[in-house]
């Protein structure tokens, strides 16, 4: 039987029950379950605000849009970001007409605080930080840099649903945290996300901006007769980015499993780590933040002959992945090529091994044995 990289697991009956409620009520859109999920998410994370979206990409786009407008950033202002991420992180910077300045990653595969500090200029306004695979990396040092240089912090937490440091959800320190509940993330729905602003004011704005700038409340307040409830004002040129009740229904059910799911992911990661301890010179592991419980959305290894290993695993019907290609190798970002040597190296040598809840102990042992066999004879 083939072993896939990601296999999302759903509580099918639980999801159907929640979705049935939406269908019977005749309410599948914004409101109802989206509000319930936002409340559950705030309770789960301890974050003050949460607005449910159709994706994390939307969240990143709207976050830069709001910050640029509210903080009066100009087109040549700079955002320091990582080259080792899914392109939606960096596209969000360019879509807002800001400049993406790449800093290198360290052994955590997250941004290196040292290189970030080197890249700060008079034009730097914010840092976009990605918790790779759910690993917080040196997040707290990045938070300190933001304080020291008065920068905003955007946390792309697409892999971080359920990640904790010292028992707490990281994110209160950030100006905004954006989560993804895309189909193969560690809290899968089908497509959705959550945006959590530190400032209440921005939470109010994002609710309008993700629904085309429509402000129903203002009008309702100024027209108390009730006759004109269908009328609304439009305060912004907005987007259609908000989430719907069907996705939220799935999210509500999946959230109940999240801690249990992540702890099994950490179990799998421990099996892998133990399995590779005898070949630590050939299979390098990612440095994980001390005192953290990472979501373990990914289990990544770094090897000499990554492409060879990938091919050998495929021949054994084990399907691995790559997270990610150094973004400065893409045409859109090649202006920064050569600025992040470590990310460039990782991009050619990193491999994500299968990581999902349907893997058994023996599946993991089989994968380990195939990797070890390859690296022992094919370096
Ligand atoms: C998946 C992902 C996104 C985008 O999430 P969507 O919900 O699919 O829009 C953003 N950043 C990172 C690091 C991701 O892995």
């Amino acid at each position: 039987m083939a072993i896939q990289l990601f296999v999302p697991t759903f509580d099918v009956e639980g999801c159907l029950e929640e979705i049935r409620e939406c269908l019977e009520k005749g309410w599948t859109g914004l409101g109802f379950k989206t509000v319930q999920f936002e409340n559950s998410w705030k309770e789960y994370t301890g974050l003050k605000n949460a607005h449910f979206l159709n994706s994390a990409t939307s969240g990143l786009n709207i976050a830069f849009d709001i910050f640029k407008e509210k903080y009066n950033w100009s087109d040549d202002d700079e955002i320091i970001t990582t080259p080792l991420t899914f392109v939606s992180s960096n596209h969000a910077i360019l879509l807002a007409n800001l400049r993406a300045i790449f800093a290198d990653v360290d052994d955590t595969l997250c941004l290196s605080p040292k290189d970030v500090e080197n890249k700060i200029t008079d034009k730097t306004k914010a840092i976009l930080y990605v918790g790779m695979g759910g690993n917080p990396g040196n997040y707290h040092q990045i938070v300190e840099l933001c304080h020291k240089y008065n920068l905003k912090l955007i946390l792309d937490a697409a892999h971080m649903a359920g990640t904790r440091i010292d028992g707490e959800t990281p994110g209160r320190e950030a100006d905004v945290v954006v989560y993804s509940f895309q189909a193969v993330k560690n809290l899968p729905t089908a497509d959705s996300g959550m945006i959590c602003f530190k400032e209440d004011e921005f939470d109010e704005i994002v609710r309008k901006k993700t629904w085309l700038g429509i402000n129903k409340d203002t009008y309702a307040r100024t027209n108390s007769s009730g006759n004109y409830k269908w009328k609304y004002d439009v305060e912004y040129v907005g987007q259609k980015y908000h989430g719907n009740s069907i996705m939220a229904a799935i999210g509500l059910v999946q959230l109940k499993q999240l801690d249990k799911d992540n702890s099994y992911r950490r179990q799998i990661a421990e099996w892998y780590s133990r399995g590779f301890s005898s070949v630590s010179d050939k299979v390098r592991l990612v440095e994980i933040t001390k005192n953290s419980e990472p979501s373990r959305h990914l289990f990544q290894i770094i090897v000499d002959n990554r492409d060879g290993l990938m091919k050998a695993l495929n021949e054994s019907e084990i399907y691995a992945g790559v997270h990610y290609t150094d973004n400065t190798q893409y045409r859109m970002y090649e202006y920064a090529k050569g600025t992040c040597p470590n990310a460039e190296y990782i991009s050619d040598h990193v491999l994500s091994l299968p990581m999902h809840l349907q893997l058994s102990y023996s599946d993991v042992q089989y994968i380990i044995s195939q990797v070890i066999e390859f690296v022992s004879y094919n370096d």
Side-chain angles (χ1 to χ4, degrees):
M1 257 267 282
I3 303 180
Q4 303 296 336
L5 173 63
F6 296 135
V7 180
T9 302
F10 294 96
D11 167 3
V12 174
E13 291 312 314
C15 288
L16 290 177
E17 202 176 301
E18 286 282 326
I19 292 171
R20 172 182 293 279
E21 221 188 300
C22 298
L23 299 178
E24 283 177 350
K25 193 182 172 75
W27 197 300
T28 53
L30 173 66
F32 187 39
K33 291 287 174 195
T34 65
V35 177
Q36 283 181 34
F37 189 33
E38 287 168 355
N39 290 335
S40 301
W41 191 252
K42 284 189 277 187
E43 196 177 316
Y44 176 79
T45 57
L47 297 174
K48 215 163 38 139
N49 297 301
H51 177 50
F52 188 56
L53 301 171
N54 61 9
S55 74
T57 302
S58 302
L60 292 162
N61 291 349
I62 208 77
F64 282 105
D65 176 79
I66 290 173
F67 287 155
K68 191 182 186 199
E69 187 175 307
K70 290 291 157 179
Y71 294 127
N72 290 310
W73 294 349
S74 25
D75 284 356
D76 61 346
D77 281 338
E78 300 173 354
I79 311 298
I80 297 179
T81 182
T82 173
L84 213 62
T85 185
F86 185 55
V87 286
S88 67
S89 322
N90 292 322
H91 280 5
I93 301 171
L94 298 200
L95 281 168
N97 266 320
L98 294 160
R99 295 188 60 207
I101 304 296
F102 293 93
D104 215 342
V105 299
D106 58 23
D107 292 343
T108 67
L109 305 195
C110 302
L111 275 175
S112 148
K114 194 160 161 268
D115 200 46
V116 167
E117 190 161 19
N118 286 338
K119 299 213 162 136
I120 294 173
T121 71
D122 291 347
K123 295 205 172 295
T124 308
K125 298 296 179 197
I127 300 172
L128 174 67
Y129 190 83
V130 178
M132 176 64 80
N135 181 18
N138 291 305
Y139 171 73
H140 283 309
Q141 279 172 258
I142 296 289
V143 170
E144 281 167 30
L145 284 179
C146 288
H147 287 151
K148 184 170 165 192
Y149 293 95
N150 191 25
L151 305 175
K152 300 295 164 196
L153 178 56
I154 293 103
L155 179 59
D156 178 343
H159 303 174
M160 295 179 87
T163 287
R164 292 190 178 84
I165 310 175
D166 291 320
E168 287 199 30
T169 302
R172 253 163 288 195
E173 316 78 8
D175 295 277
V176 69
V177 189
V178 180
Y179 293 94
S180 173
F181 310 128
Q182 185 264 350
V184 297
K185 294 287 155 69
N186 72 307
L187 193 166
T189 57
D191 256 322
S192 61
M194 196 75 85
I195 188 164
C196 305
F197 279 101
K198 189 198 275 178
E199 303 291 341
D200 298 345
E201 182 201 350
F202 292 164
D203 183 71
E204 277 171 40
I205 295 170
V206 81
R207 285 169 193 279
K208 296 169 195 162
K209 282 214 168 198
T210 52
W211 190 34
L212 300 149
I214 291 173
N215 179 356
K216 223 169 181 169
D217 299 340
T218 309
Y219 206 85
R221 263 185 265 121
T222 51
N223 292 267
S224 50
S225 71
N227 292 345
Y228 296 96
K229 272 205 172 126
W230 54 273
K231 281 200 172 180
Y232 51 74
D233 194 7
V234 180
E235 283 185 51
Y236 299 96
V237 178
Q239 304 276 2
K240 171 93 170 152
Y241 276 170
H242 66 77
N244 68 62
S245 284
I246 302 292
M247 288 302 119
I250 299 174
L252 275 165
V253 177
Q254 295 293 96
L255 176 55
K256 289 184 202 155
Q257 316 280 337
L258 184 60
D259 283 341
K260 190 163 61 71
D261 290 355
N262 285 351
S263 88
Y264 188 59
R265 288 169 177 279
R266 286 193 292 276
Q267 172 68 260
I268 292 170
E270 203 182 303
W271 290 333
Y272 276 133
S273 304
R274 226 185 294 149
F276 295 129
S277 59
S278 60
V279 287
S280 55
D281 55 327
K282 293 179 190 297
V283 178
R284 231 178 88 200
L285 304 183
V286 176
E287 198 178 290
I288 302 295
T289 311
K290 295 217 165 39
N291 304 321
S292 75
E293 297 166 273
S295 68
R296 283 294 190 177
H297 171 55
L298 301 174
F299 187 87
Q300 295 164 291
I301 59 174
I302 299 143
V303 293
D304 281 344
N305 183 359
R306 191 267 316 276
D307 294 351
L309 175 57
M310 181 83 102
K311 189 160 165 282
L313 291 176
N314 282 358
E315 278 157 16
S316 310
E317 291 195 79
I318 296 168
Y319 299 105
V322 173
H323 300 88
Y324 291 91
T325 295
D326 165 10
N327 285 190
T328 70
Q329 291 177 25
Y330 296 132
R331 204 176 312 166
M332 283 310 306
Y333 297 98
E334 68 187 2
Y335 62 85
K337 206 169 177 177
T339 59
C340 302
N342 197 26
E344 207 174 312
Y345 178 86
I346 296 296
S347 174
D348 291 337
H349 296 87
V350 77
L351 186 87
S352 300
L353 292 174
M355 174 53 89
H356 58 79
L357 304 172
Q358 291 170 37
L359 288 174
S360 66
Y361 177 75
S362 60
D363 291 332
V364 175
Q365 296 310 314
Y366 175 63
I367 298 164
I368 292 167
S369 69
Q370 296 304 105
V371 172
I372 291 183
E373 188 179 306
F374 180 84
V375 299
S376 303
Y377 303 106
N378 293 280
D379 263 2

